[in-house]
Amino acid sequence: MPWTRLLDEGRQYAGDRAGLLARCRAEREELVLKPGVGYGGVGTVIGHETDDASWAEALERAAGGDAVVQRRVRPAPEPVVDAVTGRTEEWAANWGVFVDGEGYAGGFVRALRPGHGAVISFSNPGTRSSCVFTAD
């Protein structure tokens, strides 16, 4: 899990909201700002895709709410086979698991071609996915 902090008046950062915001401004290129509630990466602000002024404004708008700031993750390339051409290309992937009352129930992957965006989610039209479920 990457470094993550709730922008909640500083309670997650030793009570020093100003220090947290200063750190976030200074480390903009290595951070992302995400809504605490939502789906598909909607509302996410990518630090390295944003200028200093826009980043500072986004932090101020988000502070005091339920937003989180998180260290940027650089996924390792994953080989993905194009179902139409049969060619294998390197994509960025986001892996996850399904669990139920019995424990592990399957897995999923969402993947995106490099350069097609920083958020691997279904709000990005280039994202592709697959999953597998287990059953007794």
Side-chain angles (χ1 to χ4, degrees), residues 3 5-10 17-35 43-48 50-71:
W3 179 88
R5 294 294 184 274
L6 182 63
L7 293 180
D8 68 345
E9 304 301 325
R17 179 176 180 264
L20 174 59
L21 292 175
R23 178 176 178 176
C24 291
R25 285 189 296 274
E27 297 179 20
R28 172 184 58 81
E29 295 217 6
E30 297 302 319
L31 299 174
V32 298
L33 178 62
K34 301 169 17 174
T44 299
V45 180
I46 308 298
H48 70 273
T50 307
D51 63 46
D52 287 335
S54 298
W55 177 252
E57 183 179 308
L59 288 170
E60 285 299 326
R61 275 194 321 265
D66 68 348
V68 297
V69 64
Q70 189 172 66
R71 174 89 35 218

